[in-house]
Amino acid sequence: MINQWNEWRNWLRRLGSADLFRRTHWRLTALYSGIFTLFLALFIVIAAALFYWITTSDQERRIVRLAEQEANTMEQFLLKQNDFDLFDDESLVLLSEDQLFFYVIGPNGDLLAGDEVHPRLRPYFLHALSRLNMNARAPVYLTVSLPEHMPGLARDAARDWRVLAAARPLVIHGNVVGILYIGMDVTSFFGVFHWLLIVLIGLAVLFLAVGVALSYFMSKRALVPIEEAYERQRQFVADASHELRTPLSVVFSSVEALTMEEDVMKNEFARRLLDRLREELKRITKLMNDLLTLARANARHAALELAKQTFDFRPHAERTFQLVAELAAKKQLTMRFHAPEQAVVTADPDKLTQLLYILLDNAIKYTPEGGEVTLSIRTEPKQFILSVKDTGIGIPPEDIGRIFDRFYRVDKARSRQQGGHGLGLSIAKWIVDTHGGTIHVDSQLGQGTEFIVRLPA
């Protein structure tokens, strides 16, 4: 069961790291969906804001007009009275069809007159009005909190009523004799607005699902010609690399044959020319092999090409370590090797050996003379860990994230001098990914770099 889970996890990891076009497809889908979501959100916000502004503006205009009319009516009524402080509730009825209450509050805060649709709610209305600024002329939305049980009301379940209130001073002969407050019940409007938001959000979710589906389809269609061109390019690189290997082998064999001729080697110019030609042929051959490896890595079923087996990697590591020792000796580097007596791992022997060669060759190239390169191998119950550490020039922090990109070189001038072409670490990353492992880089500029590879055991 554990092995089956590991295989499934490794397949998912390969799927997420190796399939470039699938990742691009999902990025484009996310981009298109994000743009669609942004415009949809703007539409909902604008539509809701317009509905709220238009409705509330109409309500505010109505209550302002109503307040002015009732204030004028009340002032005319008071001018006919002998005592301006006397209000007769029975002779003055001002409630209109959609009006909830009116109250007249005296300068000392006493209730002079008033009427409401629900007389039992007067204390709650007056309490809410007491928090208003008497000098404010703009309408104000209030929340009137009611007890849980108020039998006989039109909305027994509604504990909080929303009320739109307006205030106007009553002026008689230049004296303010009271403040007129009128209110309108707008609870239903806020309920409708609440359900409108719910409906808009529901429609937004529906349209978003449709938008994601369309984005997925459009991004997939957009990638078809690019993927076809990429596949043709990959096939061309693979074919060209394969075809070039034969003539390069012939040329290299011819150069080797010439170096065995004494007459040719006696000529200093010819000997230097053959040495340079041989080095360049080696570099081109390595480049062709790397390009062919990358072309295979780009194949849809590249992971299926691994010939995994359980074996002891220590002998392979020792041979590779000895192979690069000559290059290290030319730079007077100290080479260290740490490994257990047996380093058992389940992997492709050739690919894992190639990975080790790339990391060691890279460490030797970028370590100055007199430096040190250390190869460490260790096994854990569920992991095989390989580490290559050097005391070289290091990698700038801003470049660490790109060193596995193809043809990317941190120091292009130094890479050309060392014969690098920016493909080695890309191949190393592919080998690690196809094995379902990880590769981590720890580097400090001017102090050295360590590559740590972890593979499932």
Side-chain angles (χ1 to χ4, degrees), residues 313-340:
F313 184 65
R314 181 182 174 105
H316 298 264
E318 289 177 344
R319 287 195 297 270
T320 306
F321 192 79
Q322 294 297 327
L323 186 64
V324 299
E326 181 181 353
L327 179 60
K330 293 180 180 179
K331 301 182 67 173
Q332 299 178 351
L333 301 180
T334 301
M335 301 290 292
R336 303 186 185 277
F337 178 56
H338 304 288

Side-chain angles (χ1 to χ4, degrees), residues 352-372:
L352 194 57
T353 302
Q354 183 182 8
L355 167 67
L356 178 59
Y357 180 84
I358 291 172
L359 295 180
L360 286 174
D361 182 67
N362 192 73
I364 293 172
K365 282 181 180 178
Y366 296 103
T367 301
E369 292 185 1
E372 183 177 304

Side-chain angles (χ1 to χ4, degrees), residues 238-257:
D239 294 342
S241 301
H242 182 75
E243 294 298 328
L244 284 173
R245 293 176 71 180
T246 300
L248 283 175
S249 300
V250 174
V251 174
F252 188 79
S253 300
S254 301
V255 171
E256 290 294 325

